[in-house]
Amino acid sequence: SGWKDYQQTGAVCGHALPPGLRESDALPTPIFTPATKAQSGHDINISEREAEALVGPAVCARVRALTLALYAEGARHAASCGIIVADTKFEFGILPDDGRPEAERLILIDEILTPDSSRFWPADRYQPGVNPPSFDKQYVRDYLETLDWNKKAPGPRLPAEVVRRTTDNYLEALRRLTG
């Protein structure tokens, strides 16, 4: 979705990006790209200002700092294993009120830095300007794009070959990241 937004506006989640980027080009620095849950379907990309309006400046600043720190650490480890973490998603929640400010009650929820929440590209096959091979669910996304499907539940049944290739991609990510 970020690539599509960039092609249309030159920006992603309110971040103006350099002109002339090609698909899969590395950004000068990682960016914080908040999103919110839609009532149904996909997440909705929002700007940092919109995120601040939803959760407050202190919570947004803390989520931003944690997001960028987690990404940096995960990307460093993955790079040492021959994987580029092209992007990832972290989900946060806020614990019930216990007297501390909300920004101090943040918790990381859901899985992190997995083939379901990230785009993992093999560093040895990375080439700017093209959609690189990946060790994540992109294979399923690419298959679904070939179908006449309205992207609403229930999704179409996946052929055995798509399931097998996706499983192989996930296992390769596991093998590389954990040895």
Side-chain angles (χ1 to χ4, degrees):
S1 65
W3 175 241
K4 289 177 185 174
D5 289 350
Y6 172 76
Q7 288 178 301
Q8 293 173 359
T9 67
V12 176
C13 294
H15 296 277
L17 298 177
L21 290 175
R22 300 164 296 173
E23 183 175 11
S24 306
D25 268 341
L27 298 180
T29 60
I31 58 174
F32 174 58
T33 56
T36 188
K37 293 286 186 191
Q39 291 299 322
S40 65
H42 298 284
D43 295 344
I44 300 168
N45 291 340
I46 59 175
S47 69
E48 196 166 336
R49 185 182 323 190
E50 291 169 304
E52 285 178 354
L54 289 173
V55 299
V59 169
C60 187
R62 181 80 174 128
V63 168
R64 180 184 192 282
L66 290 169
T67 295
L68 293 174
L70 288 166
Y71 171 79
E73 186 63 29
R76 237 186 324 275
H77 173 71
S80 75
C81 300
I83 291 179
I84 296 168
V85 180
D87 68 22
T88 194
K89 173 175 81 170
F90 301 114
E91 295 186 18
F92 293 88
I94 300 174
L95 292 170
D97 192 348
D98 63 1
R100 295 178 296 156
E102 285 185 331
E104 292 177 24
R105 292 185 279 124
L106 280 175
I107 57 170
L108 184 60
I109 58 175
D110 211 0
E111 38 75 36
I112 64 169
L113 293 162
T114 71
D116 273 349
S117 63
S118 309
R119 292 183 203 278
F120 293 153
W121 296 341
D124 60 350
R125 297 181 61 199
Y126 170 69
Q127 181 180 351
V130 297
N131 188 12
S134 62
F135 303 128
D136 53 53
K137 64 183 175 185
Q138 190 61 43
Y139 189 79
V140 173
R141 286 187 185 112
D142 292 346
Y143 167 76
L144 292 173
E145 287 297 321
T146 69
L147 304 179
D148 183 22
W149 171 51
N150 65 4
K151 298 185 181 176
K152 296 191 188 295
R157 190 165 198 85
L158 297 175
E161 176 64 11
V162 172
V163 172
R164 185 191 64 75
R165 297 244 344 241
T166 304
T167 300
D168 290 347
N169 288 339
Y170 278 42
L171 290 171
E172 181 61 16
L174 175 66
R175 185 190 67 74
R176 288 187 184 212
L177 292 169
T178 66

